[in-house]
């Protein structure tokens, strides 16, 4: 890969039946894929074939697609092996700014003005939108059982919401700004910039 290529967000890897490609958005709005083993370019999507440049990077779905937000107020699905835009959904003045969290039913993404949006993957439609009490400082994350979507927000807080309705499940206060989130089937884990580590029950927010 030549050194003059400039990436605008972290790349993502797609693996299927022994074939692997690394897919990356470029600063000029294109998306390009390289064979993981050799670095040979396998496909490229031109910027004018996309509803805006990728914002923040990709999330790999269980269907093999790569999902992303764009600066053109859209969410997109890319077939990482065919090198095509599978579909896109315009979000009508809801400019997203994070890679979406993905479940087998939905996509969850934050927008610029303190909101969390849920998109039905099958229907390709917004199913709910909620105002967050403060600006999100990290992309959203979902629990392993797909019951909760969790967002770290300003004010050193972590908020969990129902993936089905967007209703608040619980909010937890920490002593520092959250640097990262990780979820499994029953717990939410967070690491803070000052070195703290936290764990809560996904269902009720009890501190572990």
């Amino acid at each position: 890969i030549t050194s003059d290529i400039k990436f605008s967000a972290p790349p993502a890897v797609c693996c299927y039946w022994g074939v692997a490609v690394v897919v990356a958005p470029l600063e000029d709005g294109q998306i390009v894929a390289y064979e993981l083993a050799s670095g040979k370019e396998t496909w490229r999507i031109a910027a004018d074939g996309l509803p805006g440049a990728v914002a923040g990077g990709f999330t790999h779905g269980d269907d093999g697609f790569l999902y992303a937000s764009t600066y053109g107020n859209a969410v997109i699905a890319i077939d990482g092996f065919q090198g095509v835009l599978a579909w896109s959904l315009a979000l009508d003045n809801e400019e997203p700014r994070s890679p979406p969290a993905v479940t087998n039913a939905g996509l969850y993404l934050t927008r610029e003005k303190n909101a969390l949006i849920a998109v039905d993957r099958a229907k390709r439609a917004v199913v709910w939108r909620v105002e967050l009490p403060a600006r999100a400082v990290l992309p959203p994350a979902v629990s392993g059982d797909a019951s909760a979507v969790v967002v770290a927000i300003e004010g050193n807080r972590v908020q969990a919401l129902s993936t089905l309705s967007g209703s608040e499940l619980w909010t937890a206060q920490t002593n520092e700004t959250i640097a990262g989130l990780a979820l499994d089937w029953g717990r939410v884990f967070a690491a803070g910039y000052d070195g703290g580590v936290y764990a809560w029950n996904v269902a009720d927010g009890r501190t572990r």
Side-chain angles (χ1 to χ4, degrees), residues 150-175:
V150 179
V151 186
I153 58 177
E154 289 179 337
N156 302 345
R157 289 170 287 173
V158 173
Q159 187 174 56
L161 304 97
S162 166
T163 53
L164 293 178
S165 65
S167 59
E168 181 182 346
L169 300 175
W170 51 266
T171 297
Q173 184 72 46
T174 68
N175 297 322

Side-chain angles (χ1 to χ4, degrees), residues 3-148:
S3 60
D4 60 341
I5 293 177
K6 295 182 179 180
F7 301 111
S8 62
V13 175
C14 291
C15 298
Y16 186 75
W17 293 108
V19 178
V21 295
V22 58
V23 182
L26 305 183
E27 282 191 343
D28 62 5
Q30 297 184 85
I31 299 176
V32 64
Y34 303 96
E35 187 179 76
L36 195 59
S38 66
K40 179 182 177 181
E41 183 176 319
T42 57
W43 57 258
R44 183 180 294 249
I45 301 176
D48 59 9
L50 298 165
V54 170
F58 297 104
T59 304
H60 201 293
D62 58 0
D63 54 2
F65 285 6
L66 293 171
Y67 294 93
S69 304
T70 79
Y71 289 111
N73 291 7
V75 58
I76 61 173
I78 298 289
D79 184 325
F81 296 98
Q82 300 296 322
V84 296
L85 175 66
W87 59 264
S88 67
L89 173 65
L91 295 176
D92 296 333
N93 298 318
E94 298 277 8
E95 182 164 331
R97 61 178 179 83
S98 71
V102 180
T103 69
N104 60 5
L107 309 173
Y108 305 89
L109 55 154
T110 54
R111 67 163 291 217
E112 190 64 33
K113 294 183 179 179
N114 301 353
L116 182 68
I117 304 165
V119 174
D120 186 300
R121 269 172 55 178
K123 296 178 180 178
R124 301 173 191 174
V126 175
V127 292
W128 55 256
R129 174 190 181 281
V130 297
E131 292 289 338
L132 298 171
R135 181 177 178 272
V137 298
L138 291 172
V142 291
S143 58
D145 62 0
S147 65

